[in-house]
Amino acid sequence: RKRKLLAPMPYCRRKSYNMAEHLASIYGTEKDKVNCSFYYKIGACRHGDRCSRLHNKPTFGPTIVIPNMYQNPQNVPMLPDGRPGCTLPAEELQEHFDRFFADVFWEVEEKYGEIEEMNVCDNLGDHLIGNVYIMFKNDEDAEKAVQSLNNRWYKGRPLLAEISPVTDFREACCRQYEKSQCTRGGFCNFMHIRKLSPDMRKALFGDRPRLSSPSRDRERRGGGGGGYRRREDSWERGRDRGRGRDRYDRRDRRDRYHERHEEEDEDVWERSRDYGK
């Protein structure tokens, strides 16, 4: 019997298929003339609503951003007589940041869910200054945190949290800044992540290394190769085995931290929230 041959795909359909594949491959990159690549990578754009490209705000995801939450004393403007607005030494500035980071970290993790990664921007641009990015282990925890934090205040200032498109901080960070070679300074359009002191990092995360989470978009699309996913799966299995122990270790570190700073602690969350009622 003669074998029935399949009819070739029409040219118009083949052309539209290739176009859709092309658009999917350049989505969120500099070649994308429709969607803003900066907003896709770092969840913020210096043009804001005036940007000529689209800002596709996600409705769900593991990462949230709280814009302008960290008030760096170093950014206080100069006095009218020309003297600097901030005269704190570097040690006190680092301690101020460490206390802020720990305060936010413990409050958010205790109330909303396990934190996978947390970063604070040290940029000076209006769209990045003081931004706090928190990546949760579960998307549901991120949604719960956004709904709750939008009804809370911190040190007399209202919080405005939202879901962020950032899924890979390695793509959002300025590589030159990490090498102390960024020529744009604080007005760079990529994240300048402020670093914790080694003692505070150990108090928060213990001896467990903080791993940058791989891009979940690549994982969902199947990109990046099978090895990339296998490496993530093996890390997940290892974390599952030690999750209970890590939870108790982290709780013990939290209690020790609060005992050490009990006299200095102030209830900035509850007092500020009551202030805004």
Side-chain angles (χ1 to χ4, degrees):
R1 291 187 306 173
K2 293 184 179 180
R3 301 181 65 179
K4 187 176 180 180
L5 299 178
L6 297 177
M9 183 182 296
Y11 174 76
C12 59
R13 185 179 301 175
R14 190 163 63 243
K15 185 177 180 181
S16 62
Y17 175 81
N18 293 336
M19 178 60 70
E21 190 177 31
H22 171 70
L23 293 176
S25 66
I26 66 172
Y27 179 82
T29 66
E30 287 76 7
K31 296 180 181 180
D32 191 345
K33 303 301 181 183
V34 178
N35 303 286
C36 179
S37 60
F38 276 103
Y39 183 80
Y40 178 75
K41 288 182 180 179
I42 64 177
C45 173
R46 63 189 179 95
H47 298 293
D49 295 335
R50 297 173 298 174
C51 184
S52 59
R53 301 184 183 184
L54 296 179
H55 293 176
N56 293 314
K57 296 187 177 183
T59 56
F60 66 93
T63 308
I64 71 171
V65 57
I66 311 174
N68 312 128
M69 183 180 183
Y70 177 57
Q71 301 295 301
N72 190 346
Q74 201 170 6
N75 297 335
V76 175
M78 295 181 63
L79 300 175
D81 57 3
R83 290 181 299 165
C86 177
T87 57
L88 295 176
E91 294 78 8
E92 293 187 22
L93 289 172
Q94 183 63 48
E95 183 180 357
H96 179 273
F97 173 72
D98 288 349
R99 294 292 307 280
F100 166 82
F101 194 103
D103 186 23
V104 175
F105 182 91
W106 292 129
E107 178 75 12
V108 171
E109 182 163 89
E110 289 176 12
K111 284 186 167 57
Y112 309 121
E114 184 179 347
I115 293 176
E116 199 167 272
E117 189 167 356
M118 175 173 161
N119 291 306
V120 180
C121 289
D122 202 23
N123 303 66
L124 295 177
D126 292 339
H127 62 299
L128 286 175
I129 184 170
N131 287 7
V132 177
Y133 290 84
I134 304 174
M135 177 182 286
F136 290 90
K137 181 179 179 297
N138 299 313
D139 294 2
E140 295 78 8
D141 294 337
E143 183 179 3
K144 180 173 61 175
V146 167
Q147 294 176 356
S148 176
L149 290 172
N150 281 331
N151 295 318
R152 300 192 65 180
W153 293 57
Y154 184 81
K155 290 191 174 181
R157 302 174 65 248
L159 300 178
L160 301 174
E162 62 181 25
I163 300 292
S164 173
V166 177
T167 55
D168 191 346
F169 285 101
R170 292 171 297 184
E171 293 293 329
C173 294
C174 176
R175 294 182 178 88
Q176 285 75 22
Y177 175 76
E178 295 175 353
K179 300 176 182 178
S180 301
Q181 298 175 354
C182 182
T183 58
R184 298 182 180 180
F187 293 96
C188 179
N189 287 323
F190 287 94
M191 291 185 191
H192 288 187
I193 301 300
R194 190 175 178 89
K195 296 181 180 179
L196 278 172
S197 65
D199 291 340
M200 182 57 69
R201 178 178 296 277
K202 186 174 182 180
L204 295 178
F205 300 99
D207 297 327
R208 179 175 66 87
R210 292 183 65 195
L211 301 177
S212 295
S213 301
S215 173
R216 302 193 182 199
D217 286 345
R218 283 188 215 159
E219 186 178 347
R220 288 167 183 163
R221 290 196 301 263
Y228 196 71
R229 188 178 296 109
R230 284 197 297 271
R231 199 156 58 239
E232 171 69 7
D233 290 344
S234 63
W235 183 77
E236 288 287 348
R237 287 196 298 271
R239 186 171 63 177
D240 289 340
R241 288 195 297 267
R243 183 171 296 161
R245 183 178 59 186
D246 180 72
R247 182 173 64 250
Y248 287 112
D249 288 346
R250 183 173 290 189
R251 186 180 301 171
D252 184 53
R253 293 195 301 271
R254 178 201 63 195
D255 294 340
R256 290 201 307 268
Y257 171 82
H258 285 313
E259 289 176 2
R260 192 182 309 122
H261 299 280
E262 185 176 4
E263 297 179 356
E264 305 172 8
D265 282 343
E266 55 177 339
D267 201 357
V268 291
W269 291 88
E270 299 301 328
R271 183 165 55 86
S272 299
R273 183 178 61 178
D274 295 338
Y275 172 82
K277 284 185 177 180

